């Protein structure tokens, strides 16, 4: 039941944030009840306490952030060649996807 409660609170918070409505315990209960979901009474409070110190917008923007540096590209003079190769690969992928379009999505 706790997974359902966590998901219900998460979706309620996202819905309220997206609608521009204050993410409060009372508003979360309204959304959850309107969805016909039963949650333990402490879950919305936990989410609201967490969101007082953490912006939901910041959390959404930083999803999947890595702790390390970005992968480095190729070094040396062959970087121009790899860019050209990437463009050719993209063109091939576009051609393949357009040729498969007539199959009705079977493959």
């Amino acid at each position: 039941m706790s997974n359902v409660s966590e998901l219900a609170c998460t979706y309620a918070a996202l819905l309220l944030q997206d609608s521009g409505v204050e993410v409060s315990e009372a508003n979360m209960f309204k959304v959850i009840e309107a969805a016909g979901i039963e949650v333990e009474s402490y879950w919305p409070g936990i989410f609201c306490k967490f969101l007082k110190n953490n912006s939901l917008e910041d959390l959404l923007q930083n999803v999947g952030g890595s702790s390390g540096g970005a992968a480095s590209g190729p070094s040396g003079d062959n970087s121009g060649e790899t860019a050209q190769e990437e463009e050719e690969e993209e063109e091939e992928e576009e051609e393949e996807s357009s040729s498969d379009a007539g199959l009705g999505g079977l493959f």
Side-chain angles (χ1 to χ4, degrees), residues 6-51:
E6 290 177 49
L7 284 173
C9 289
T10 300
Y11 291 136
L14 290 170
L15 182 102
L16 292 168
Q17 172 74 23
D18 192 48
S19 299
V21 179
E22 177 188 9
V23 181
S24 67
E25 196 170 342
N27 288 340
M28 287 182 72
F29 270 120
K30 289 178 186 176
V31 170
I32 293 168
E33 287 177 2
I37 301 171
E38 293 181 22
V39 299
E40 290 88 355
S41 60
Y42 58 87
W43 279 111
I46 290 173
F47 271 75
C48 288
K49 286 180 184 178
F50 175 76
L51 292 175

